[in-house]
Amino acid sequence: MSHATGRSPVTDHFELASVTRVSLNVYLDALVARALAACSFPADPVRIVRTGRPEWGDLQCNAAFLLAKRLNRRPAEIAAELAAKLGESRVFEKVEVAGAGFINLTLSARWLSNWAQAQLASPELGVVQRAPARVMLDYGGPNVAKPLHVGHLRSLVIGESLRRILQAVGEQTLTDAHLGDWGLQMGMLIAEIRREYPQLSCFSSDPAAAATPLDECALGFGMDILQKLYPRAAAACKEDAARMKEARDLTAALQAHEPAFIALWRALRAMSLKSQQCDFAALDTHFDLLLGESDVQCEIAPMLDDLRRRGLCVESDGALVVDVAEIGDRQPVPPLLLAKSDGAALYATTDLATILTRVREHAPDRVIYVVDQRQSLHFEQVFRAAVLAGYCERRQLIHAGFGTVNGVDGKPFKTRQGGVARLSDLLGDAIDKARERLSELSDDGHGRIPAPELERLARSIGIAAVKFADLSSYRMSGYVFDPERMVSFEGRTGPYVQYACVRIRSMTRRAEALGLKAGTVRVGASTERNLALECARFADVVASAADSLAPNELAEYAFQLAQTFNRFYLDCPVLAAQDHVEQCSRLALSSLTERVLGKCLYLLGIEVPDRM
């Protein structure tokens, strides 16, 4: 059954300027809701979806099946009435009832062209802006005296992408790396440094000399040595009870703000941050705050006193705990341990104090922790304790967990020696593979790339490959780190998507040299329709990625859009189009694609090089 297009009361309240106010899915869903109301059918939430096959049209609606049982009518009858009403709309070129009651919809070429033109004119490319909310993102989690390693990769890449995605929909973001800069590991390190470098001023018997500020020059060693000292210290403490006691005593002295140890701690913290910020820069990761565990230490004692006074924490075998079990728990949730029997605070104590501080100082609507999923129980305990204490509501605290980075053997990634892989080494491997690939292309007659440009391209493509491989995987799943596959210019990879964007920009430059400019979008050929429709999905994908905290949705969309453009590029000549009007139309559609694709890559934290 087919219905001709025409003006309809169903669309009177919707103008094409709506592209800046609602996404395509919301627009069409509202259109169906009005049609349901016009047919006196219940206007329950109904979704329009893309069809699985092109011969079925652009979209499909299964509202008839949802209403059939409720109305005690055959789906085909309901579909016929609804199709007739939708067929009056100028939005659709064709409306058909198929099978037992599916409604297949083909958008009007003119309407789709206008929507594409409106999207091109939109500064946000149609992404609907929400009422601003303040969202804090906690990701990265580096530790003092330790290099960033493979375990930090996903937190940094996912966290940065979420920051950009949430900003794209109008959220106000505030990011914090939350440094691991306090606790027993610092006592271990101080003990080891005292053995190796007893001449340091902080170990002087003269109190004034011991409190003298230190820097890397005064220390006499750099980050490369510091990173070797901690593993040595940790191993010694594990093997020797006396060394562990010494570390605990030094930790207590540091936490009591012994001037000499504070001077050493500040120097180690500064040195570590300087090194780690190089890795942040390599990944183009941005932090508004670089606070650490140390910044909330003054909050812990009064917080614990308050919790005791209110009866929210109790002593158990000398330790201080909060009972966070809830009726209905499917699995046991142990009490949250806030202090050991010796009075030492724990990660949980610091995390709870951090929530208290963040709520008081920044009043966030949400705090999102981008941390390994293996810490889910820890965060569930801490979040429940924060709610019990009245610091915030449960909906404000979100653990955006993620799976592990795995080797080709499917197990968590390790170095060949079985150790934890440094982040800089992982990025270096991908950059090396990208350099090899670019050199191969140069040797195959694509024109030799000058050495400085080759290095810039290798870095851009290598890091894009790592990020895309990470972000294209479902956040909760692990993925295999395989640089050889990641840097391929074919398949579902970062370089493939980058190349599509570079190709459009190159074509645009050639058009400008010929005096051609983008004109009005006129969708005609099937691949033009597909490309315009794929671009129109952008706002819905961004909104969904923001709601689900799922950058993989955006990465998958970017890949599909790149594929759709490449098919359009092969089927529809742009610069060699039949006439000037067609040239300018296809340039406009290409420009829209380039802007959408470029924005996708930006939201994934991926830059687009000038050439590839």
Side-chain angles (χ1 to χ4, degrees):
M1 181 183 298
S2 172
H3 302 274
T5 59
R7 186 158 186 165
S8 164
V10 169
T11 60
D12 283 348
H13 294 310
F14 293 88
E15 300 297 333
L16 284 167
S18 295
V19 71
T20 63
R21 298 193 298 270
V22 295
S23 66
L24 181 66
N25 279 356
V26 172
Y27 184 102
L28 295 174
D29 287 344
L31 190 63
V32 173
R34 288 179 59 81
L36 286 166
C39 293
S40 299
F41 292 149
D44 288 342
V46 173
R47 296 298 305 271
I48 286 181
V49 298
R50 293 284 295 273
T51 59
R53 296 168 61 175
E55 60 266 29
W56 293 346
D58 301 319
L59 307 158
Q60 192 172 78
C61 175
N62 65 349
F65 295 99
L66 300 176
L67 294 170
K69 185 174 182 179
R70 185 170 178 178
L71 300 177
N72 195 26
R73 293 180 58 184
R74 292 174 55 243
E77 293 176 357
I78 298 172
E81 287 187 44
L82 184 56
K85 183 56 64 177
L86 289 170
E88 298 172 4
S89 170
R90 60 186 174 184
V91 172
F92 303 111
E93 183 176 289
K94 185 165 60 174
V95 180
E96 295 180 322
V97 176
F102 292 102
I103 301 175
N104 293 335
L105 305 160
T106 301
L107 293 169
S108 155
R110 180 176 179 181
W111 187 90
L112 184 56
S113 299
N114 289 339
W115 186 279
Q117 195 69 41
Q119 186 181 10
L120 181 59
S122 165
E124 293 83 20
L125 293 165
V127 175
V128 180
Q129 301 299 287
R130 304 174 178 180
R134 170 160 289 201
V135 182
M136 286 197 73
L137 291 133
D138 179 318
Y139 57 96
N143 293 300
V144 165
K146 298 181 185 179
L148 295 181
H149 56 73
V150 62
H152 295 105
L153 175 63
R154 298 211 73 187
S155 182
L156 289 166
V157 171
I158 294 171
E160 177 63 21
S161 181
L162 290 179
R163 179 186 77 86
R164 298 181 184 208
I165 291 170
L166 292 172
Q167 285 184 346
V169 297
E171 307 276 22
Q172 298 175 354
T173 64
L174 187 67
T175 57
D176 184 11
H178 193 64
L179 308 173
D181 63 350
W182 209 245
L184 182 59
Q185 75 271 22
M186 296 309 306
M188 293 179 179
L189 192 58
I190 292 171
E192 187 68 22
I193 292 173
R194 185 161 62 181
R195 278 173 171 73
E196 295 289 330
Y197 299 92
Q199 76 281 2
L200 290 178
S201 60
C202 58
F203 302 127
S204 170
S205 58
D206 178 3
T212 302
L214 295 166
D215 56 20
E216 189 169 333
C217 181
L219 287 174
F221 59 85
M223 193 64 191
D224 54 338
I225 298 297
L226 182 60
Q227 289 169 358
K228 295 175 182 177
L229 291 174
Y230 178 75
R232 219 154 58 208
C237 289
K238 185 177 180 180
E239 296 171 2
D240 186 346
R243 285 290 298 270
M244 179 60 80
K245 182 181 183 306
E246 179 187 6
R248 292 189 187 281
D249 291 343
L250 289 171
T251 300
L254 173 67
Q255 294 181 351
H257 287 79
E258 179 72 31
F261 299 137
I262 287 292
L264 178 57
W265 169 79
R266 284 178 176 155
L268 300 179
R269 188 181 190 275
M271 184 191 299
S272 296
L273 261 179
K274 181 180 177 182
S275 171
Q276 290 160 357
Q277 284 177 310
C278 292
D279 288 327
F280 296 161
L283 287 171
D284 199 15
T285 301
H286 304 271
F287 290 105
D288 301 305
L289 304 171
L290 288 170
L291 300 176
E293 297 167 335
S294 61
D295 291 287
V296 298
Q297 294 308 304
C298 60
E299 301 286 348
I300 289 178
M303 178 187 75
L304 294 179
D305 288 342
D306 174 65
L307 293 175
R308 284 193 192 94
R309 186 173 60 253
R310 291 193 285 152
L312 295 175
C313 63
V314 296
E315 286 194 7
S316 175
D317 296 328
L320 200 62
V321 301
V322 178
D323 184 3
V324 293
E326 295 177 355
I327 296 174
D329 284 339
R330 294 184 178 180
Q331 296 179 338
V333 179
L336 180 69
L337 180 61
L338 289 180
K340 292 183 178 180
S341 57
D342 61 3
L346 303 160
Y347 286 123
T349 327
T350 300
D351 284 343
L352 189 59
T354 299
I355 291 174
L356 173 61
T357 303
R358 285 171 171 171
V359 171
R360 185 180 62 229
E361 296 184 0
H362 304 291
D365 295 288
R366 287 178 292 160
V367 183
I368 300 171
Y369 291 79
V370 187
V371 184
D372 193 321
Q373 183 60 20
R374 290 174 292 187
Q375 294 194 40
S376 59
L377 177 59
H378 166 79
F379 282 109
E380 182 61 28
Q381 292 173 294
V382 172
F383 292 172
R384 289 186 182 189
V387 173
L388 281 171
Y391 300 158
C392 57
E393 297 179 19
R394 182 63 179 85
R395 61 177 178 78
Q396 291 176 265
L397 301 172
I398 300 165
H399 175 210
F402 52 81
T404 55
V405 179
N406 300 321
V408 292
D409 58 359
K411 298 178 181 179
F413 193 93
K414 300 284 186 181
T415 64
R416 291 178 180 175
Q417 292 73 35
V420 177
R422 291 175 53 155
L423 176 58
S424 57
D425 292 339
L426 263 70
L427 297 180
D429 287 347
I431 292 168
D432 290 344
K433 290 295 181 183
R435 188 186 301 108
E436 289 176 17
R437 180 64 175 137
L438 288 167
S439 297
E440 290 170 4
L441 291 174
S442 295
D443 294 340
D444 288 343
H446 289 73
R448 184 159 299 278
I449 304 172
E453 186 176 0
L454 178 65
E455 287 307 306
R456 286 194 300 271
L457 279 176
R459 175 165 289 275
S460 173
I461 293 169
I463 291 177
V466 171
K467 288 186 174 183
F468 194 85
D470 193 301
L471 296 172
S472 61
S473 303
Y474 174 52
R475 174 164 52 79
M476 297 290 286
S477 300
Y479 74 95
V480 174
F481 188 89
D482 182 0
E484 188 75 43
R485 179 184 58 81
M486 288 177 178
V487 302
S488 173
F489 281 57
E490 297 83 31
R492 192 177 266 94
T493 68
Y496 176 85
V497 181
Q498 281 180 307
Y499 183 69
C501 208
V502 170
R503 169 182 270 180
I504 301 173
R505 292 181 181 180
S506 175
M507 180 181 66
T508 301
R509 288 194 293 269
R510 295 200 307 273
E512 290 173 351
L514 295 171
L516 295 173
K517 294 183 179 180
T520 301
V521 178
R522 295 188 178 183
V523 173
S526 61
T527 47
E528 288 177 314
R529 289 182 59 87
N530 292 340
L531 186 54
L533 190 56
E534 195 65 26
C535 286
R537 291 181 54 223
F538 178 61
D540 288 300
V541 174
V542 174
S544 179
D547 290 338
S548 303
L549 303 178
N552 64 290
E553 295 181 11
L554 197 61
E556 178 61 25
Y557 170 75
F559 172 69
Q560 291 178 4
L561 180 58
Q563 278 192 315
T564 305
F565 173 78
N566 286 336
R567 285 192 287 267
F568 157 81
Y569 187 78
L570 291 174
D571 294 346
C572 298
V574 179
L575 302 184
Q578 293 182 351
D579 56 55
H580 183 70
V581 171
E582 194 170 70
Q583 282 179 325
C584 295
S585 168
R586 289 177 177 172
L587 272 174
L589 186 54
S590 298
S591 177
L592 172 60
T593 306
E594 184 274 328
R595 285 187 59 205
V596 172
L597 202 53
K599 185 68 171 180
C600 280
L601 290 172
Y602 169 78
L603 296 179
L604 295 172
I606 294 173
E607 70 169 11
V608 180
D610 292 330
R611 62 173 285 187
M612 286 180 73

